[in-house]
């Protein structure tokens, strides 16, 4: 594995992760329903491969169906479903830079509140504690605090002094446990949108939610990993299990830095990394697959130490230069955090435009774009069977899937 990354590689990956667009079609609208219990998102590359707009809509269950975007609302990924509220952040590329709160009434999404974010905020993550929403400004080195109901801005927390190599630690995905906000710091340097290739370390900032003051920054340097959590697209890449242990998915520059990638843990009641737990997925064999993954793309934690995910396997890139829009390098897998094993699920493999993972009742749903099918595939953990084609077909690439009720 090379120790450096070319700018075009990093930017291509970011374009794929953030890419979204609109779809104009003539298909009939889907009927209204008060039973809609799933929020899906779709995106589609523009003709030149650049980013456009994304869409989200409520749908009913996971029965076989096809959906277009005519009833959908424009959005960007990431989106957060918290209770009866849906929060949509603009991320890195949304031109209007608006933070919006939605609810759902009679099977439809309804705007409840919105607010203008600071210019060039790069708002790509949020976490909720009581009546406060914490929003990471990845471009500004700050955490914004907003009222949960009205989205009125309360204050900012300046964390720029924790940047390594520059004046911005690049706050990414966050999670609240008890009265502490854990903020993953990507520590991106330069224009390549990746950490320093010579620094294989993971930083997490701890903030007291009672005082909104920084408690400390913790650093893990023995695992050889970097870049904790996935910018923009995977809100679950820092998550908590039933024991309130926090797990962090470290992606190490999208697998291009030569660092290890995988999971680290902060145990319940502790405020430092667990020195007894490091799960290096880059050296772990995958059952049912001859090649290894270089990072975990998206995650859904299902309980019992089981993670359902999409992983990237670089052995399937075309040579001498990868085709980011056509190469099928994304594979659905089951990861056992306790046994530290990875198992490939089904035979489907996807392009980097479709990497979604979600849970629906006792099923797992993967958003994939394969050679023959485009949409949401369904896996049954009880039987161990994956659908061989998309059960829910969509216009545009499947971007996210979340059960909302």
């Amino acid at each position: 594995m090379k120790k450096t990354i070319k700018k075009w590689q990093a930017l291509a990956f970011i374009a794929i992760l953030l890419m979204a667009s609109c779809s104009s079609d003539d298909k009939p609208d889907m009927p209204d329903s008060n039973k809609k219990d799933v929020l899906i998102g779709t995106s589609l590359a523009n003709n030149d491969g650049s980013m456009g707009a994304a869409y989200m809509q409520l749908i009913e269950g996971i029965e076989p169906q096809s959906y277009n975007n005519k009833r959908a609302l424009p959005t960007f990924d990431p989106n957060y479903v918290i209770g009866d509220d849906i929060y949509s952040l603009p991320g890195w590329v949304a031109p209007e830079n608006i933070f919006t709160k939605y609810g759902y009434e009679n099977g439809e999404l309804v705007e409840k509140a919105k607010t203008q974010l600071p210019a060039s905020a790069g708002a790509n993550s949020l976490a909720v504690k009581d009546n406060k929403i914490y929003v990471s400004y990845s471009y500004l080195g700050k955490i914004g605090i907003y009222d949960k109901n009205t989205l009125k801005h309360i204050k900012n927390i300046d964390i720029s002094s924790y940047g390594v190599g520059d004046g911005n630690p690049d706050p990414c995905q966050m999670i609240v446990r008890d009265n502490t906000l854990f903020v993953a710091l990507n520590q991106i340097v330069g224009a390549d949108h990746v950490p320093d290739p010579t620094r294989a370390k993971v930083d997490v900032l701890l903030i007291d939610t009672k005082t909104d003051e920084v408690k400390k920054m913790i650093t893990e340097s023995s695992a050889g990993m970097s870049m904790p959590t996935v910018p923009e697209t995977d809100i679950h890449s820092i998550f908590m299990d039933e024991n309130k242990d926090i797990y962090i998915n470290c992606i190490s520059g999208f697998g291009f830095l030569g660092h290890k990638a995988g999971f680290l843990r902060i145990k319940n009641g502790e405020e430092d990394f667990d020195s007894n737990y490091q799960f290096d997925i880059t050296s772990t064999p995958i059952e049912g697959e001859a090649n290894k993954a270089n990072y975990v793309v998206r995650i859904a934690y299902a309980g019992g130490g089981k993670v359902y995910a999409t992983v990237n396997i670089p052995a399937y890139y075309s040579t001498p230069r990868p085709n980011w829009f056509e190469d099928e390098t994304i594979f659905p897998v089951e990861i056992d955090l306790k046994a530290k094993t990875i198992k490939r699920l089904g035979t489907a493999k996807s392009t980097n435009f479709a990497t979604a993972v979600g849970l629906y009742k006792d099923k797992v749903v993967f958003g994939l774009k394969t050679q023959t099918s485009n949409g949401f595939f369904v896996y049954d953990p009880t039987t161990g069977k994956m659908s061989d084609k998309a059960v829910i077909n969509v216009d545009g690439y499947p971007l996210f899937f979340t059960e909302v009720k």
Side-chain angles (χ1 to χ4, degrees):
M1 178 70 69
K2 294 183 179 179
K3 296 291 183 181
T4 59
I5 179 171
K6 295 181 179 179
K7 181 176 181 179
W8 61 265
Q9 291 176 319
L11 294 180
F13 253 86
I14 291 169
I16 288 170
L17 289 172
L18 307 184
M19 183 270 319
S21 85
C22 54
S23 169
S24 58
D25 53 63
D26 296 321
K27 295 182 181 180
D29 293 344
M30 299 305 302
D32 290 328
S33 172
N34 293 326
K35 299 179 181 179
K36 295 178 181 178
D37 57 356
V38 172
L39 181 72
I40 64 168
T42 55
S43 65
L44 183 68
N46 293 335
N47 291 334
D48 62 357
S50 65
M51 292 166 283
Y55 288 94
M56 66 177 178
Q57 62 182 303
L58 292 171
I59 68 170
E60 182 179 344
I62 57 172
E63 295 302 315
Q65 186 58 270
S66 295
Y67 293 91
N68 58 52
N69 295 317
K70 294 188 72 174
R71 300 182 65 87
L73 296 179
T75 188
F76 277 83
D77 197 12
N79 284 271
Y80 293 77
V81 177
I82 301 173
D84 292 334
D85 300 319
I86 298 169
Y87 297 94
S88 180
L89 288 172
W92 287 354
V93 297
E96 295 182 354
N97 207 30
I98 300 294
F99 177 25
T100 310
K101 173 184 174 180
Y102 297 92
Y104 28 85
E105 298 176 0
N106 299 320
E108 300 296 338
L109 293 169
V110 179
E111 183 181 299
K112 296 292 187 180
K114 65 180 179 181
T115 190
Q116 179 74 49
L117 296 176
S120 303
N124 72 347
S125 176
L126 66 79
V128 174
K129 174 61 175 178
D130 298 329
N131 200 43
K132 294 186 294 187
I133 296 180
Y134 296 87
V135 177
S136 62
Y137 298 158
S138 62
Y139 286 168
L140 302 179
K142 297 179 180 180
I143 304 294
I145 305 178
Y146 293 82
D147 182 272
K148 178 178 180 290
N149 297 312
T150 65
L151 299 191
K152 180 181 178 180
H153 181 256
I154 299 172
K155 62 181 290 188
N156 292 332
I157 305 173
D158 189 341
I159 61 171
S160 58
S161 62
Y162 295 92
V164 176
D166 58 19
N168 182 5
D170 304 277
C172 195
Q173 308 296 341
M174 306 181 290
I175 194 169
V176 174
R177 183 175 67 190
D178 299 327
N179 294 309
T180 300
L181 175 69
F182 294 79
V183 184
L185 305 179
N186 276 177
Q187 299 290 13
I188 292 170
V189 294
D192 288 347
H193 291 85
V194 294
D196 181 350
T198 67
R199 185 179 187 269
K201 298 181 180 181
V202 173
D203 299 323
V204 173
L205 197 68
L206 279 62
I207 295 175
D208 188 330
T209 59
K210 291 182 177 180
T211 63
D212 293 327
E213 298 289 335
V214 175
K215 300 171 72 172
K216 63 178 180 177
M217 183 176 79
I218 59 175
T219 299
E220 208 301 312
S221 57
S222 65
M225 300 179 189
S226 64
M227 204 171 180
T229 73
V230 183
E232 291 280 284
T233 61
D234 189 15
I235 65 177
H236 301 298
S237 54
I238 181 169
F239 63 94
M240 198 156 48
D241 69 4
E242 305 91 323
N243 300 318
K244 297 180 68 174
D245 294 338
I246 293 174
Y247 287 86
I248 304 170
N249 175 30
C250 305
I251 67 168
S252 303
F254 307 104
F256 278 117
L257 295 181
H259 300 169
K260 296 177 182 178
F263 296 93
L264 299 175
R265 182 170 69 187
I266 304 173
K267 294 186 71 174
N268 184 21
E270 299 183 6
E271 293 189 341
D272 211 335
F273 288 100
D274 182 359
S275 60
N276 295 316
Y277 188 88
Q278 297 172 359
F279 183 1
D280 173 17
I281 65 101
T282 58
S283 62
T284 301
I286 301 175
E287 179 183 339
E289 168 57 42
N291 303 287
K292 295 182 176 67
N294 63 353
Y295 78 103
V296 179
V297 184
R298 292 216 188 190
I299 286 172
Y301 180 66
K306 294 294 180 65
V307 168
Y308 293 95
T310 46
V311 298
N312 186 69
I313 300 183
Y316 292 96
Y317 285 131
S318 56
T319 57
R321 178 170 174 169
N323 183 331
W324 307 111
F325 304 102
E326 298 295 335
D327 290 348
E328 294 179 335
T329 66
I330 301 298
F331 290 69
V333 298
E334 178 187 85
I335 299 173
D336 190 321
L337 295 172
K338 298 178 180 178
K340 297 183 180 179
T341 58
I342 309 174
K343 179 174 67 175
R344 182 176 170 181
L345 303 177
T347 59
K349 54 182 180 177
S350 175
T351 71
N352 279 275
F353 285 105
T355 62
V357 188
L359 303 175
Y360 184 81
K361 303 188 187 307
D362 60 345
K363 303 295 192 297
V364 185
V365 180
F366 292 94
L368 307 171
K369 193 272 182 184
T370 71
Q371 290 184 354
T372 59
S373 193
N374 177 66
F376 294 99
F377 292 62
V378 176
Y379 173 72
D380 186 340
T382 302
T383 63
K385 293 183 178 179
M386 169 84 83
S387 61
D388 57 5
K389 61 181 180 179
V391 174
I392 302 170
N393 293 278
V394 296
D395 286 347
Y397 299 117
L399 188 62
F400 59 81
F401 178 102
T402 305
E403 185 177 7
V404 296
K405 296 179 182 179

